[in-house]
């Protein structure tokens, strides 16, 4: 297994940045709501997500079986963002390059989710972000499959 200060230091810094993005409060929900049909909102959300560095976006209806015991998810919908990873770097696992790529993409995904949640709140709707690599209140893989 490859180890050393370069990978550990880079991963630690990326984890700290991701933690900060997750912990920094989102802005308040705007008082006025922007209205639209579900079809219009689906298109808006997907356009906004892709413009915020997500490589793919899907929407799924929240299911109680995805929520970890002891948590609540009082949102009817879940927006799932995906970011791609460089195959050539990932293929070198467990190298420093692969580890760095993973953390860089988790950071990019967290930034995209935070940016999209902020935009949704600016439209007058509540939203929060739930990002990897650490577990949060819901399972991400079943939601990602459901969201397409």
């Amino acid at each position: 297994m490859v180890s050393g200060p370069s990978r550990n230091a880079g991963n630690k810094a990326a984890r700290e940045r991701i933690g900060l993005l997750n912990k920094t409060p989102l802005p308040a929900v705007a008082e006025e709501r922007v209205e639209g049909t579900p079809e219009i909102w689906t298109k808006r959300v997907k356009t906004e997500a892709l413009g915020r560095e997500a490589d793919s976006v899907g929407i799924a209806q929240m299911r109680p079986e995805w929520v970890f015991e002891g948590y609540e998810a009082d949102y009817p919908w879940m927006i799932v963002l995906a970011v791609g990873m460089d195959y050539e770097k990932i293929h070198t696992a467990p190298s420093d390059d692969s580890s760095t790529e993973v953390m860089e993409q988790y950071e990019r995904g967290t930034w995209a989710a935070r940016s999209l949640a902020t935009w949704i709140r600016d439209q007058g709707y509540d939203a929060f972000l739930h990002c990897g690599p650490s577990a949060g209140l819901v399972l991400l893989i079943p939601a990602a499959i459901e969201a397409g």
Side-chain angles (χ1 to χ4, degrees):
M1 177 171 213
V2 177
S3 63
S6 62
R7 181 173 69 184
N8 293 339
N11 285 345
K12 182 179 179 188
R15 282 186 187 276
E16 288 173 0
R17 289 189 302 269
I18 291 168
L20 182 61
L21 284 169
N22 279 324
K23 291 176 186 172
T24 302
L26 290 166
V29 175
E31 291 184 26
E32 283 191 48
R33 281 189 166 188
V34 176
E35 299 298 329
T37 65
E39 294 79 18
I40 288 172
W41 270 106
T42 298
K43 185 175 180 180
R44 284 179 185 161
V45 165
K46 288 183 176 186
T47 298
E48 291 295 328
L50 294 172
R52 287 169 163 71
E53 294 198 46
D55 294 325
S56 181
V57 59
I59 301 170
Q61 202 163 16
M62 180 66 77
R63 292 190 182 187
E65 61 266 27
W66 299 342
V67 181
F68 287 111
E69 186 175 328
Y71 290 91
E72 292 182 23
D74 296 330
Y75 293 83
W77 300 99
M78 186 169 176
I79 301 166
V80 182
L81 307 182
V83 294
M85 296 189 189
D86 183 313
Y87 175 80
E88 294 304 320
K89 290 179 182 176
I90 296 299
H91 186 67
T92 66
S95 73
D96 286 356
D97 283 347
S98 67
S99 179
T100 299
E101 176 67 6
V102 168
M103 291 312 300
E104 285 177 356
Q105 298 314 322
Y106 273 122
E107 185 175 4
R108 183 167 69 105
T110 301
W111 184 90
R114 181 177 182 76
S115 179
L116 183 64
T118 297
W119 177 82
I120 291 169
R121 293 170 76 90
D122 288 346
Q123 307 309 299
Y125 298 88
D126 195 10
F128 76 98
L129 62 146
H130 168 74
C131 304
S134 301
L137 62 103
V138 297
L139 293 165
L140 295 176
I141 292 174
I145 293 168
E146 183 76 18

